[in-house]
Amino acid sequence: MSSKPSCLIVGAGDGVGAAIARAFSREGLAVCVTRRPRHLDQLEALAASIRADGGRAHAFGVDARNEAEMIALFDRIEAEVGPLQVVVFNIGANVRFPVLETTAQVYSKVWEMAALAGFFTGREAARVMGPRGKGSILFTGATASTRGGAGFSAFAGAKAALRQLAQSLARELGPQGLHVAHVVVDGMIDGTFARSIAPDIQTLLDEDAILKPEEIAKNYVWLHNQQRSAWTFELDLRPWKENW
C-alpha cells in the first residue's frame, strides 16, 4: 500500500462529483471515484482525465446500497491505494412525484440511495479513519435536507435522514478527531441536466446565477483543510440571486 493519502467520492457523476475529485487530486490525494457498475465507462474516463492532468485516480463500479460491496471497497482502497484522508458522499437521488404517485418502491429506492448508502459510507469511513484519529467525512445535501417541497416527499425524507445521520456522526466522531460536515447545495447546478431544461444557461452562467461545480468543489477542499479549533458542521451554498 502507498503511504500517500487517498480520497473517496461516492457518487462521482459528471458534475459536482467530478469537480470534487479533480479538486482533491490537485491537493495531492489519490482519488477514488465510484458509481454503479453500469456507469463504469464514464468513471474510467473521469479517472483517465485526472491522470492526464498529472493526478492519481482509480475508478470503482460499486452499488453504494450494498453493504458487502461498500465494506470491500474501503478495504481495497486502504490495501491497494492508500490510507483514506477524505470521504465524500455525493449521491443525489433527486426525484419528483406527487404523493399519490409515490409508490413504496420509489420511496424505498430513494431512501436507500440517499440515506442507507450514506450510512454505509459514513460507518466504513469511521471504521478505517477512526483508529488514525484524523480525516474528513463530507456529505452532500440539498434544499430538501432542511425543507420539504411539494412533490418531493421521497427525496425530502431521504435527504433529511442523511442530514440527521451526518449530525449524529459529527457529534460522535468529532471528539475522535474526524471532521464530519454536511453541505446544503441550494439551487440549480450547471451540468447536463441543467443544460437540458434551461435554454438560457449561458446567461445564468455569465450572471453567476447558477451554481458552478468547480466553485462548489472548492468548499469541500476548504472544509477538509479547516483547523480543528474552528470546524464547520453545516455549510450552505447558493447563488447570490437564489430565492430562499
Side-chain angles (χ1 to χ4, degrees):
M1 179 187 73
S2 170
S3 61
K4 294 182 178 180
S6 67
C7 168
L8 168 63
I9 296 93
V10 178
D14 60 359
V16 174
I20 293 171
R22 292 190 177 98
F24 277 111
S25 175
R26 289 192 289 270
E27 292 288 299
L29 277 68
V31 173
C32 300
V33 291
T34 80
R35 289 179 76 184
R36 279 181 283 183
R38 71 184 188 210
H39 299 295
L40 189 55
D41 287 349
Q42 292 110 303
L43 276 180
E44 292 287 7
L46 170 60
S49 72
I50 292 172
R51 291 192 293 268
D53 288 337
R56 293 172 295 141
H58 309 266
F60 299 92
V62 173
D63 185 344
R65 301 169 298 174
N66 185 297
E67 183 176 23
E69 288 187 30
M70 290 297 282
I71 293 171
L73 172 68
F74 277 80
D75 287 343
R76 184 176 175 187
I77 292 171
E78 288 276 317
E80 299 178 9
V81 181
L84 280 160
Q85 192 174 94
V86 184
V87 173
V88 178
F89 181 77
N90 186 61
I91 292 178
N94 190 356
V95 298
R96 184 174 189 173
F97 288 101
V99 67
L100 295 182
E101 296 176 19
T102 302
T103 64
Q105 181 182 11
V106 166
Y107 196 94
S108 297
K109 184 175 180 180
V110 173
W111 175 81
E112 287 177 359
M113 291 171 66
L116 182 63
F119 164 69
F120 291 148
T121 300
R123 187 192 68 188
E124 293 308 299
R127 175 174 66 88
V128 300
M129 294 196 295
R132 294 192 285 267
K134 62 179 181 180
S136 300
I137 308 172
L138 310 176
F139 294 91
T140 300
T143 309
S145 302
T146 61
R147 186 178 74 237
F152 292 99
S153 56
F155 184 55
K159 278 295 187 181
L162 181 70
R163 182 181 185 233
Q164 294 302 92
L165 167 73
Q167 196 172 98
S168 292
L169 293 182
R171 289 191 165 109
E172 181 176 345
L173 302 177
Q176 299 177 32
L178 303 186
H179 183 191
V180 181
H182 180 255
V183 182
V184 176
V185 182
D186 181 16
M188 184 183 291
I189 304 169
D190 182 30
T192 304
F193 178 71
R195 290 169 185 261
S196 72
I197 63 171
D200 58 341
I201 192 76
Q202 193 55 53
T203 300
L204 294 173
L205 289 168
D206 292 343
E207 293 180 352
D208 295 326
I210 184 172
L211 286 149
K212 299 175 182 178
E214 296 75 18
E215 296 303 318
I216 293 173
K218 290 177 183 177
N219 285 277
Y220 284 71
V221 173
W222 174 74
L223 283 169
H224 171 60
N225 288 330
Q226 278 187 325
Q227 208 273 338
R228 65 182 181 176
S229 69
W231 273 348
T232 294
F233 165 66
E234 190 157 70
L235 176 72
D236 51 337
L237 304 173
R238 62 180 60 85
W240 63 291
K241 284 188 169 184
E242 185 70 20
N243 241 346
W244 66 291

